Amino acid sequence: MSVSRPLRTEARGVCPRRTDVGAVVGLLYTLLTLLRDEGATHVGCATDHVIRSFRNGLYPGYKTEAGVPVELLAQFPLAERAMEAMGLVVWPMVEFEADDALATAAARWDGAEGVERILDLHPDKDLANAFGARL
């Protein structure tokens, strides 16, 4: 799961140090719902730990942190720690992107014995193509 979708939710929350944590609250709510209501048994979470990747050198104007609110950027490390605290697998991507990790996991487990379905909770439509027919 990429943190970008839940971190852009409208959930509001402020921790005692007056730090905005609303995006992390939204992320945790989404993950708890997935585990509780959808019956997920294996969850892998990928984050763009470092937003820039090797693609920035290949494609002028490729995504950067420009335009991302500082309050949201500040929540990325907390989101990673919160997912780990839930006992979920977290892949904090540095050289590659969260999309790359999620596509790799989907390719690895699609068709594996005992895997009934793979859920893609990432907003990237191109990534959805990597998940096959059982998405």
Side-chain angles (χ1 to χ4, degrees):
M1 164 179 243
S2 169
V3 295
S4 61
R5 176 188 261 173
L7 285 183
R8 295 180 191 272
T9 67
E10 294 301 315
R12 293 285 175 233
V14 177
C15 73
R17 285 185 242 152
R18 308 296 301 159
T19 303
D20 186 359
V21 295
V24 176
V25 170
L27 171 66
L28 295 179
Y29 179 79
T30 299
L31 291 169
L32 288 170
T33 299
L34 176 68
L35 293 165
R36 182 190 64 222
D37 299 343
E38 296 296 324
T41 58
H42 296 74
V43 178
C45 304
T47 64
D48 288 325
H49 188 76
V50 175
I51 294 179
R52 295 175 187 246
S53 72
F54 71 94
R55 290 181 179 95
N56 290 94
L58 298 174
Y59 308 108
Y62 197 74
K63 71 178 179 180
T64 67
E65 64 283 349
V68 179
V70 175
E71 300 82 13
L72 182 60
L73 285 172
Q75 294 181 64
F76 282 24
L78 179 58
E80 290 176 354
R81 290 194 312 270
M83 290 183 291
E84 289 171 348
M86 288 180 68
L88 300 175
V89 174
V90 179
W91 300 303
M93 304 306 290
V94 176
E95 293 179 29
F96 294 94
E97 298 176 27
D99 303 9
D100 300 319
L102 295 171
T104 300
R108 164 63 179 88
W109 294 105
D110 189 29
E113 185 176 334
V115 176
E116 295 177 17
R117 65 183 175 158
I118 297 173
L119 296 175
D120 170 23
L121 301 182
H122 189 279
D124 189 324
K125 293 176 185 164
D126 292 333
L127 176 63
N129 295 327
F131 283 76
R134 296 185 312 139
L135 176 66

